Each structure stands twice: as C-alpha cells, then as structure tokens.
Amino acid sequence: DGGITQSPKYLFRKEGQNVTLSCEQNLNHDAMYWYRQDPGQGLRLIYYSQIVNDFQKGDIAEGYSVSREKKESFPLTVTSAQKNPTAFYLCASSIGGSWNQPQHFGDGTRLSIL
Amino acid sequence: AQKVTQAQTEISVVEKEDVTLDCVYETRDTTYYLFWYKQPPSGELVFLIRRNSFDEQNEISGRYSWNFQKSTSSFNFTITASQVVDSAVYFCALSEADNTDKLIFGTGTRLQVFP
C-alpha cells in the first residue's frame, strides 16, 4: 500500500543530543513537509521541500535541519539548539505545491526529553 | 493576513446527535482552497475534503456535509447522526494561490462522541 512511514513512533532525547526523525513515502510525491504539533495548537510548518536537493524554512525552523537527497526521503534532525523539542512531529507529502493539493500524513513521531 | 479560526476547542455529544464544527478564515486572496482533516487518536491526519474558492456548492458525503459561505468566510462541517468512531480532532486549513508554500491550519476542534 502507498503511504508515508514515520519512525520511530516514540523518541527520547537527552540534553545536548541531536536526534533524527525518519520520513519515507512511496507515493511518488514531489513535495514533502515537516510539522510540529503542540497540545491545543494547530500544526506549525518547520521545513518543506518541493523537489529533491532543495528545501525551504517554514515558520519555526530554528533548531531543526533537514535534507532531501532522495525523492522518497525527508529526514528531520532536531538539534541541541532546539530548547523545547517535546512535541508531536508529523511528516506529510503532496503531489505538487500545497496550494491546491491535499497533503497526506504519516502517523507521527512523539519526541520527549529525558 | 491569512488566518483560520476554529473557535470551538472541544465539543461533546451523545451518539446519534448532529454536530457542526465551525471554521472561519481570513484571506486577501481571491483564489484559495479550504480543507478539512480528521486526526484520530492514532495521530495521522486524514484528508476529508477540499473546496476551491470558486465553488460554493455544499457537499454531502454520507453522514458528512460541508457548508461553504464566502459571504461570511466560513466553511463549516456537519456530522449527522454522530458515532463513537467520529471522535477525533478536526482541523480546517487554508491554502492560497499567492502563498503557495503554506497550508495554514486552525487550532483544531476536539470532538468526543459518547455512547
């Protein structure tokens, strides 16, 4: 079945540690996105990529980094510079730009600080 | 500035009741799309519907219906005869032709349907 796979489902980070969240899609979508969800808030865009080897900062990119070396993969690294990383992270993809296409989402990764 | 407001933080109903989730949006763009997503307890967002700014026809899909009114900048979602499986967080979102990089989400409405 086509879809988006995020791993791991739960992740714990120690102080000063970088952690990487995986996102893989087999939908042949060009665009991929990372969102952060905090309790009682909507989704906030961290980074997005419209094409391989290119990505753009979203609204809350500080303390995060991404890469897009393959069409199928868009990993997110939460660096030690992100002082409040505890949140639910969602990866999404769409056929083209988000403006008129629905985004398809993965199951999410819940990140907590040890 | 573009914005999506879902004023209802949480709604509780008993099974078989009808329930309407409100969504009000702000945009200066004349060309835009509105979306509804469902987030069940498992976490992933499930796409429900997309509506473009030039199509004000209401839509019905089974127990779900959507009412789009440009005059009031609203895109409300009604569930008829609610079921326990409808319990989830529902998000309304806006995408604009002049701001193609972003999907702007509301803060969501948590719907709890009790048996």
Side-chain angles (χ1 to χ4, degrees):
Chain A
D1 278 357
I4 299 177
T5 302
Q6 289 188 242
S7 62
K9 197 167 181 67
Y10 300 94
L11 187 58
F12 298 92
R13 194 191 90 168
K14 294 179 182 178
E15 291 288 341
Q17 186 182 43
N18 293 351
V19 292
T20 297
L21 284 60
S22 171
C23 178
E24 303 277 332
Q25 56 100 356
N26 60 5
L27 299 167
N28 200 32
H29 285 171
D30 290 311
M32 295 187 75
Y33 311 84
W34 274 105
Y35 292 93
R36 171 178 170 141
Q37 185 179 16
D38 293 283
Q41 297 193 32
L43 278 66
R44 292 185 289 169
L45 183 64
I46 304 173
Y47 268 98
Y48 62 98
S49 168
Q50 303 282 22
I51 197 168
V52 174
N53 291 324
D54 186 49
F55 48 83
Q56 305 296 329
K57 292 182 179 180
D59 297 320
I60 55 166
E62 187 175 346
Y64 300 97
S65 66
V66 294
S67 63
R68 185 87 187 275
E69 297 175 2
K70 298 187 299 182
K71 188 175 185 178
E72 306 79 28
S73 178
F74 191 41
L76 173 74
T77 296
V78 184
T79 74
S80 56
Q82 173 49 246
K83 297 307 178 188
N84 183 24
T86 298
F88 188 56
Y89 291 86
L90 284 159
C91 178
S93 71
S94 66
I95 293 174
S98 67
W99 107 264
N100 64 356
Q101 296 295 329
Q103 293 182 14
H104 300 262
F105 287 80
D107 290 348
T109 293
R110 193 166 298 280
L111 176 62
S112 302
I113 292 187
L114 280 178
Chain B
Q2 64 273 37
K3 188 179 176 182
V4 175
T5 301
Q6 294 181 256
Q8 303 151 309
T9 306
E10 188 162 339
I11 301 175
S12 296
V13 299
V14 176
E15 220 172 8
K16 296 183 184 173
E17 281 186 36
D18 298 346
V19 58
T20 296
L21 283 60
D22 297 332
C23 173
V24 174
Y25 62 93
E26 293 176 31
T27 178
R28 293 196 187 110
D29 211 332
T30 57
T31 304
Y32 53 89
Y33 271 81
L34 295 162
F35 301 80
W36 274 96
Y37 287 86
K38 174 182 180 180
Q39 186 179 38
S42 52
E44 85 280 15
L45 268 72
V46 177
F47 165 69
L48 295 178
I49 190 172
R50 174 184 61 175
R51 172 67 73 219
N52 76 57
S53 53
F54 300 109
D55 182 3
E56 285 194 73
Q57 273 196 331
N58 292 333
E59 180 151 344
I60 298 175
S61 176
R63 296 183 298 106
Y64 295 172
S65 62
W66 290 268
N67 181 267
F68 176 31
Q69 290 196 331
K70 287 178 76 170
S71 60
T72 56
S73 297
S74 64
F75 187 43
N76 296 338
F77 173 30
T78 297
I79 301 175
T80 303
S82 59
Q83 299 177 1
V84 173
V85 293
D86 295 326
S87 297
V89 181
Y90 291 86
F91 289 97
C92 181
L94 164 71
S95 184
E96 303 166 307
D98 286 346
N99 190 16
T100 58
D101 298 335
K102 288 187 181 181
L103 191 59
I104 300 147
F105 285 88
T107 51
T109 296
R110 179 178 298 278
L111 173 65
Q112 294 197 70
V113 182
F114 294 99

